[in-house]
Amino acid sequence: ADFVLVWETVPWERSGQQDSRENGGLQGTSATIHKTWRKTFLDKLHAAGIHMEKHTTRMEKKVVHYLLLSAPWSVLCYYAEELQLRVPLQVLPRQTSNWSDSVLQWLGIPNLMAQEVPNLPLDYYTCPFKANKLCWFLGSDEQDTFFSTTQRHQILYEILATTQYGCSREREVGVDRLLSEDVFTAAFPLHEASPRPPRPPRLSPQGPYEPRPQELAAGSLGQRQVLFQYWANWGKWCKYQPLGHVRKYFGEKVAFYFAWLGFYTGWLLPAAAVGTVVFIAGIFLVFNDVPSQEICQSEEQYWMCPLCKTCPYWQLSKICSTFMVGQLFDHGGTIFFSIFMSLWAVLFLEFWKRTNASLAHHWDCSDFEDIEERPRPQFTAMAPMTITNPITGAEEPYFPKRSRLHRILAGSMVIMMLIAVVVMFVVSIILYRAVVDILLSSSGYFWFAASASRIASFTGSVVNLIFIVILSKIYISLAHFLTKWEMHRTQSKYEDAFTFKVFIFQFVTFYSSPIYIGFFKGKFTGYPGNHLSFLGVRSEECSPGGCFVELAQELLVIMVGKQIINNVQEVAIPKLKCWWHKHKLLSKKAGEEGESVLVEQAPWVMDHQLLVFEGLFDEYLEMVLQFGFITIFVAACPLAPLFALLNNWVEIRLDAQKLICDYRRPVAERAQGIGIWFSILEAITHLAVISNAFLIAFTSDFLPRMYYEYVHDSSLRGYVNFTLAYAPRDFVLQSNTTCRYRAFRDQDGNLTLTYWQLLAIRLGFTIVFEHVVFFIGRVIAWLVPDIPESVEVKVKRERYLAKEALAENKVGCGSSSASSFKP
């Protein structure tokens, strides 16, 4: 069997009681309609030539029906040609797919990441299937194995998704609509059955994916067992992923995600190493930092102005430890690391383009989205009209572009409103921090008063994270609805539109608070006696240690906090859902005990107990947001790549385990790459260069220190006094106390010449930084070709072989009946 349909019914003796209780109620009517739709749908599948095999499981309150579907050879041939499935022409010699393996071999260093994986899939030159040229394809004499299991699943899903069961005007077409109407409870392809003889689950605690020692020794493992042992195994955390096996079992879309995730994790290694070295260098620099020593030894030299109306005056020496922590993240190495990470991001994307091109050719999907992709079954069912395709001349479903544009504009307005809600929420967090800061500072308790800014900032970060998680859930369901309503023709366009909507929202949600702290907080506060206020609350100032340390704290709370929450969810939620699902399905079975054991171990029953695979969107989103954190704000936290690397080592195995152990097998989908996510990564990379330039110029102390070294004293002695202004005369007369505050102003509160000179230096640095990094990035992009030369040669060779095999003057063979067969 290739596919399973599942539905549930109430036994007649119980349904009679239920109907009488509900006075012939609506449930009976609904059940009748569902039964009619189901019968029509299954009759049409039968008429299309699909083989069916029915099994039932009787329980105390319901009967579960399992219908196993498989397509005969003639149907497979017809739809393979219709879907332009690619089949093998000639075996290719296997080549190393990992550049690191080639480099280590060349250097003569043993590769600890390599592993011997059994049953390696063969590489082929391929071309689209033609039934009348069957004999020119490899393996055409073996009908059972000619089409791969994933290709069979694709064909079955195409038939299920386009079969009509009711009125076409009411869009009563396809298995997805029947699932949403609860006519069927599940529809899924079967996981590969274990090669070992079946045993009752109560006697064997192993899952069907876990190999036994004797099977490992003999090498007689099924595909799912190979993936569990060599991919989803925690012991393989440092090994290459068997991407060929992943692609063969799950299809190209899933394989591309894991290929990209593995590639990204590998590239995080140098970033994490350099970031850790920069952080350790910061620790050593702190102890020799002259301004830090001046602050710590100042005692009562600098009396600082109050940070709020009711706050007391304070001594600068009290912030010794906070200031030193700030210097861990704000020193000369930060500049080097910002440039390094900007170039790292550019190089990462350029080399991923090459890897993507190699994999797309290797996996036969180089031209998929441009030429081969068909309309979504849901679009076909719901499109209000048809139009003749000017290229193929065939009638195709059509939705007017003008109507779609109107819908997209309406959806955009809804998104803008929701983004406005997020901005309002961010403003409320800012006000919360300001209010908490004031309350703690005026509380009278020394510890609270001294730590007021840090407590307000930390609790604000935690509240922000909680609301981010809640708002995300609401928004994603709305984005699904809007994207369906927009009527996108192909699955790729549908997913790109959905992805773009959610990413824009998540970008604003996750990054708004760090952007505020990094670029706006403490920049528009005024000065003693003339403080600026917002909604009646005095504008927030940076903590005495500076905004850089606050930004690092915000990043770590949101980024690491979100990673921990996600990993706990990914471990716990699928396991709990699986347990609950199995509990509902296996509890209170009717019939003999021996009979129930036999039912329990049937592969379709075991697969039905697993969870529905809901796509890779959440996984991509998590990783792309992480990429943003480690590039856009890396100037503030050089340890971010290290935390990302540690998370990703866990993430790869977690995602692999979920797919192998907890989820039903997804229908294999083809893809040309990682889709719109690549464009989003490019946009983040450009934004990261600009962001890091502004962070260094306007938030970091790097440029004021350089200015002081050049103009005043190269040893930085007296720098602290240089950065502090005296309170204006009016303020001193009112309070009868002279105090200092951090600014470049004179005693009348006017900005000094030093401020304007520094502003010019900051703007100049921003422009130079951006231009240098972008120029180097362009040079790198020009030097690194998008498609490796070896791949271009293979593409030309494959086209030549396809032309030879499918030439019109070649004699057709053996399957003319299949090509003319139309279900």
Side-chain angles (χ1 to χ4, degrees), residues 716-766:
L716 284 177
R717 297 200 179 279
Y719 174 75
V720 173
N721 188 54
F722 166 74
T723 60
L724 298 177
Y726 285 93
R729 294 186 184 91
D730 296 343
F731 183 80
V732 173
L733 287 171
Q734 284 175 12
S735 58
N736 203 24
T737 308
T738 302
C739 63
R740 310 289 293 271
Y741 66 103
R742 192 178 166 105
F744 294 103
R745 292 180 183 269
D746 60 23
Q747 284 200 285
D748 294 321
N750 299 317
L751 295 167
T752 61
L753 179 63
T754 302
Y755 171 85
W756 296 110
Q757 288 174 338
L758 266 173
L759 181 63
I761 291 168
R762 283 170 163 152
L763 291 172
F765 173 85
T766 305

Side-chain angles (χ1 to χ4, degrees), residues 347 350-351 354 775-786:
L347 270 171
E350 286 302 319
F351 277 92
R354 286 170 62 85
F775 174 74
I776 296 172
R778 295 283 180 194
V779 171
I780 290 168
W782 178 66
L783 290 174
V784 180
D786 289 352

Side-chain angles (χ1 to χ4, degrees), residues 229-248:
Q229 182 64 25
Y230 294 93
W231 181 49
N233 191 330
W234 289 106
K236 306 293 182 183
W237 67 272
C238 62
K239 302 295 185 183
Y240 292 133
Q241 299 180 83
L243 292 174
H245 291 76
V246 176
R247 179 246 177 171
K248 186 178 178 182

Side-chain angles (χ1 to χ4, degrees), residues 515-533:
I515 286 170
Y516 162 71
I517 292 172
F519 302 115
F520 300 104
K521 187 176 179 180
K523 305 291 188 294
F524 310 102
T525 57
Y527 54 90
N530 187 26
H531 282 291
L532 302 177
S533 61

Side-chain angles (χ1 to χ4, degrees), residues 7-9 31 33-43 65 165 178 182-184:
W7 70 95
E8 296 173 358
T9 56
I33 294 168
H34 286 185
K35 190 175 180 181
T36 307
W37 282 348
R38 190 161 51 239
K39 185 176 184 309
T40 307
F41 186 74
L42 296 180
D43 286 346
H65 303 263
Y165 62 87
L178 288 169
D182 292 327
V183 177
F184 293 111

Side-chain angles (χ1 to χ4, degrees), residues 580-722:
W580 179 244
H581 199 192
K582 286 180 184 178
H583 176 72
K584 284 198 301 182
L585 287 169
L586 298 178
S587 64
K588 297 180 182 175
K589 290 212 165 189
E592 296 295 323
E593 182 64 25
E595 191 181 321
S596 71
V597 168
L598 286 173
V599 171
E600 280 178 25
Q601 67 188 7
W604 47 90
V605 177
M606 295 178 77
D607 282 9
H608 184 218
Q609 292 162 14
L610 302 176
L611 303 177
V612 178
F613 177 72
E614 295 176 345
L616 293 163
F617 173 80
D618 289 336
E619 277 71 23
Y620 268 121
L621 182 64
E622 181 186 349
M623 289 297 105
V624 171
L625 286 171
Q626 182 201 85
F627 181 83
F629 280 121
I630 68 163
T631 51
I632 296 175
F633 305 107
V634 76
C637 189
L639 286 178
L642 177 64
F643 286 115
L645 176 65
L646 296 173
N647 175 77
N648 289 9
W649 273 332
V650 175
E651 186 72 27
I652 290 174
R653 306 305 154 184
L654 266 183
D655 289 345
Q657 279 202 348
K658 284 193 304 185
L659 276 169
I660 294 292
C661 310
D662 298 329
Y663 287 117
R664 294 172 192 159
R665 189 173 183 177
V667 178
E669 291 183 68
R670 301 189 71 203
Q672 206 169 321
I674 61 172
I676 197 174
W677 292 113
F678 184 80
S679 304
I680 290 171
L681 290 169
E682 282 190 311
I684 287 174
T685 300
H686 284 81
L687 186 62
V689 176
I690 298 165
S691 167
N692 284 314
F694 275 95
L695 275 176
I696 294 163
F698 290 93
T699 306
S700 167
D701 262 356
F702 176 74
L703 290 180
R705 285 181 176 229
M706 292 289 288
Y707 173 84
Y708 187 82
E709 279 186 28
Y710 182 75
V711 174
H712 296 284
D713 188 341
S714 59
S715 70
L716 284 177
R717 297 200 179 279
Y719 174 75
V720 173
N721 188 54
F722 166 74

Side-chain angles (χ1 to χ4, degrees), residues 116-371:
E116 287 294 324
V117 184
N119 309 334
L120 278 173
L122 292 171
D123 296 341
Y124 299 101
Y125 285 119
T126 63
C127 73
F129 178 75
K130 291 282 183 189
N132 62 348
K133 307 289 183 185
L134 181 65
C135 61
W136 298 107
F137 299 118
L138 281 182
S140 55
D141 51 340
E142 294 288 337
Q143 293 187 2
D144 291 341
T145 56
F146 180 70
F147 294 109
S148 67
T149 52
T150 50
Q151 287 176 330
R152 288 169 174 270
H153 297 164
Q154 287 171 317
I155 289 169
L156 259 296
Y157 180 72
E158 177 72 16
I159 296 167
L160 290 170
T162 53
T163 298
Q164 191 172 316
Y165 62 87
C167 177
S168 58
R169 280 187 214 165
E170 298 296 322
R171 298 162 183 169
E172 292 172 347
V173 180
V175 72
D176 291 318
R177 176 76 188 272
L178 288 169
L179 286 166
S180 66
E181 296 279 358
D182 292 327
V183 177
F184 293 111
T185 55
F188 53 88
L190 277 173
H191 270 295
E192 186 194 61
S194 169
R196 64 172 173 254
R199 294 182 64 183
R202 293 192 180 106
L203 302 179
S204 172
Q206 290 183 314
Y209 44 79
E210 294 178 272
R212 292 175 179 171
Q214 58 267 34
E215 289 170 339
L216 273 173
S220 58
L221 299 178
Q223 281 188 55
R224 192 181 181 194
Q225 290 180 315
V226 168
L227 286 170
F228 179 78
Q229 182 64 25
Y230 294 93
W231 181 49
N233 191 330
W234 289 106
K236 306 293 182 183
W237 67 272
C238 62
K239 302 295 185 183
Y240 292 133
Q241 299 180 83
L243 292 174
H245 291 76
V246 176
R247 179 246 177 171
K248 186 178 178 182
Y249 195 74
F250 290 111
E252 287 79 15
K253 184 170 278 189
V254 171
F256 263 115
Y257 165 71
F258 283 101
W260 175 79
L261 180 55
F263 186 83
Y264 169 48
T265 304
W267 271 70
L268 278 173
L269 272 168
V274 174
T276 306
V277 168
V278 167
F279 181 75
I280 293 168
I283 294 172
F284 287 104
L285 290 171
V286 160
F287 294 107
N288 299 315
D289 185 50
V290 173
S292 297
Q293 291 170 2
E294 284 187 349
I295 287 176
C296 293
Q297 295 165 9
S298 62
E299 295 181 352
E300 297 185 6
Q301 183 180 351
Y302 301 109
W303 277 94
M304 305 298 290
C305 299
L307 295 172
C308 66
K309 281 185 182 178
T310 56
C311 297
Y313 291 84
W314 55 284
Q315 295 167 19
L316 189 62
S317 58
K318 296 289 184 188
I319 66 155
C320 170
S321 56
T322 312
F323 188 83
M324 289 180 76
V325 170
Q327 292 310 300
L328 288 177
F329 302 99
D330 187 6
H331 54 85
T334 302
I335 313 303
F336 162 74
F337 193 53
S338 298
I339 296 169
F340 173 83
M341 284 303 293
S342 299
L343 296 176
W344 173 90
V346 172
L347 270 171
F348 165 70
L349 292 180
E350 286 302 319
F351 277 92
W352 168 250
K353 272 189 205 172
R354 286 170 62 85
T355 305
N356 193 106
S358 298
L359 290 173
H361 170 70
H362 187 58
W363 293 342
D364 305 322
C365 46
S366 301
D367 301 324
F368 170 65
E369 288 178 18
D370 307 321
I371 299 169

